[in-house]
Amino acid sequence: MGYFPFFVDITGKSGVIVGGGKVAARKVEKLLMFEPNLTVIAPQIEECIRTQEKLLQKDTAASLCFIEREFRMADLAGADFVIAATDDETLNGHISDYCKSKQIPVNVVDDKEKCSFFFPALVKEGALTIGISTDGKSPVAASWVRKEITRTLPSGLGDTIDLIGQIRPRVMELDVPEAVRKDILERMFLYCMEKDGEVTLEELMSKFFVN
């Protein structure tokens, strides 16, 4: 049947990651790009997770907190989403059951049946985000597709999308038919791609007569 790929804004949302090893570190690394407030809980938190703090930019809304002790179910109070990344299948199962009973989205690493959402393979280029899922059947295939997509993305695509995002509100305000606005945005996008994204806002406004 497959899973519908909802894209959800997790900026400022509270995420709890139970587990302190390399698997948890990979989840932290991917999530921080989307600026949630993450709490990592484990009796021992490895250095590979602690170094993820370096990913936090000065102007980011994200935060990363460490609680180095045994996990308690009460730690999930107020969580917007949870990732169980421990090597204890029984504990992961209890976390899954609790989250599902409280309608908290939960991902249990390497256990499809205990998940209420999957963690996709991600391609991130500026504002462009591509999520790849195989319904949990083949992470290897998802990883391969991610690499292939990354390899084929044209240079400057992320910069172009960011630039079009800046100028789009000005275009949408133009007193012209919708088809004309759509055509302007399409021509702007193609022009930027021809220039590998090395175009300024002023250049676009001048070339396409957007006032």
Side-chain angles (χ1 to χ4, degrees), residues 55-69:
L55 298 175
L56 294 173
Q57 304 296 320
K58 291 183 178 180
D59 59 346
T60 185
S63 66
L64 182 56
C65 173
F66 305 115
I67 300 178
E68 198 163 35
R69 60 160 170 74

Side-chain angles (χ1 to χ4, degrees), residues 32-53:
L32 284 180
M33 293 187 290
F34 300 91
E35 302 190 324
N37 297 318
L38 298 180
T39 300
V40 178
I41 305 170
Q44 182 177 355
I45 298 175
E46 297 181 15
E47 189 63 22
C48 59
I49 292 186
R50 295 188 180 278
T51 56
Q52 299 301 314
E53 284 187 299

